[in-house]
Amino acid sequence: MTVSASDATLHALQAWGASRRIAIVHDWLVVQGGAEKVLDALLQAFPAADVYTLVDFLPAGQRGRLAGHRVVTSALQHWPLARRFYRHLLPWMPHAIEQFDLSDYDLVVSSSHCVAKGVITHPGQWHVCYCHTPVRYAWDMKEAYLRDAGFSGPVAWYVRRVLGRLRQWDHFTASQVDTFIANSANVSKRIAKYYGRHATVIHPPVDLDAFTFNPEPRDDYYLAASRLVSYKRMDLIIEAFGHEGRRRLKVVGDGPERKRLEKLAAAAPNIELLGYRPDGELQRLMARARGFVFAAEEDFGIMPLEAQACGTPVIAYGRGGSLETVIDEGSEATGVFFHEQTPAALLGALERFDSLAFSPDACLAQAQRFGIARFWQRWIDCLQLGPSDEPFSCM
């Protein structure tokens, strides 16, 4: 029986982890997003690992490999209204994450976009932080966060004070991490700027087997999909398509912005807001769409790659992680960029998109560069698993 390179890579990681006690620390488990897909791949590589997280409200149908793991939550899990307002517990999160006792583990992997990297480890343990981003609302997105939240007066003063203290704590705890891994070159630069640390880049994995490649002609709609939160800029996409009125748009997702976006789209018959859709249905919509529209400035952003895995080209905001995942020029182009977060800029990109022909095979080839086998191989490179089976820092 032939063993594929992917299987051999996974087995090497699993064999290395089998003789070690491993803990994975994840900020919170509430919805399935990009960070949770990375967590799933880590759990596949380290099937005996325990998981530590501030709160765990992930529904049974979305738990995947978590179902087979011990999950330890913090005291915040039991606070009143924590399920609905967990983000409001930010002032208490640093203290809560520091209360986990990880002294029994050899390797601690923090999967961090907020406070997970702040866990306390001890000499003799190896703390590897897979950093999705330094805390966005404490650093470069602080003003946008305050503006979007509508804080004013004493509340704004208090929130600024909380974010200032979080920023100090975030910078200090970066010195306690042994090895940083960034999910993109974009995030690696931010780690260098805010923490003064080097980070190896390991891009999040695309599970290519989960997507159906479609080389056939497409339907006449465009697709946008994400959690409906303000920084994803679904409002920009809806405004652009609503103003133009000719191109069809389907929007998949749910979140706090949903009611506002429904009002925004109410007068546009060419726009459908479909709400949450299971993975299988979302993938079918991706595989039939003329193009996937992505307006957020993401640290990485895995959905444009998932669209390309279906052979679907992308119209993306040309900043952040999109610059690493979408090819905007040449014979192997997989999409187009727009360079301002405005409806006019997006409409201009759509005009250019419609004038070009994109190869589904080129889109698939781009997605394959980010496959899960490469993710595991990069971890092996980072851990430097050699004949001695001993780990060394990949700094």
Side-chain angles (χ1 to χ4, degrees), residues 63-193:
R63 299 191 71 79
R65 289 186 178 84
L66 272 171
H69 289 260
R70 174 173 175 253
V71 178
V72 180
T73 58
S74 75
L76 300 183
Q77 176 81 15
H78 308 291
W79 281 34
L81 303 178
R83 179 184 294 269
R84 183 176 179 184
F85 296 110
Y86 68 95
R87 290 182 184 274
H88 292 69
L89 303 178
L90 181 63
W92 295 275
M93 287 181 180
H95 177 75
I97 207 75
E98 290 179 343
Q99 303 314 302
F100 287 134
D101 180 5
L102 304 176
S103 57
D104 288 337
Y105 298 96
D106 304 307
L107 173 66
V108 175
V109 178
S110 57
S111 166
S112 185
H113 58 80
C114 189
V115 299
K117 77 167 184 21
V119 291
I120 295 175
T121 55
H122 305 285
Q125 293 179 298
W126 188 12
H127 179 186
V128 178
C129 175
Y130 188 94
C131 186
H132 304 278
T133 176
V135 191
R136 296 174 69 106
Y137 28 86
W139 295 99
D140 53 320
M141 292 188 68
K142 175 173 64 71
E143 295 304 323
Y145 169 74
L146 292 167
R147 183 176 61 252
D148 291 345
F151 294 132
S152 61
V155 174
W157 176 87
Y158 172 73
V159 173
R160 285 182 182 276
R161 182 174 176 82
V162 168
L163 294 179
R165 295 182 67 177
L166 175 62
R167 193 160 54 251
Q168 292 176 333
W169 177 87
D170 190 46
H171 183 271
F172 169 76
T173 56
S175 66
Q176 309 303 301
V177 174
D178 298 307
T179 301
F180 267 106
I181 297 174
N183 75 350
S184 62
N186 177 39
V187 167
S188 179
K189 292 176 183 177
R190 298 175 72 225
I191 290 171
K193 181 175 180 63

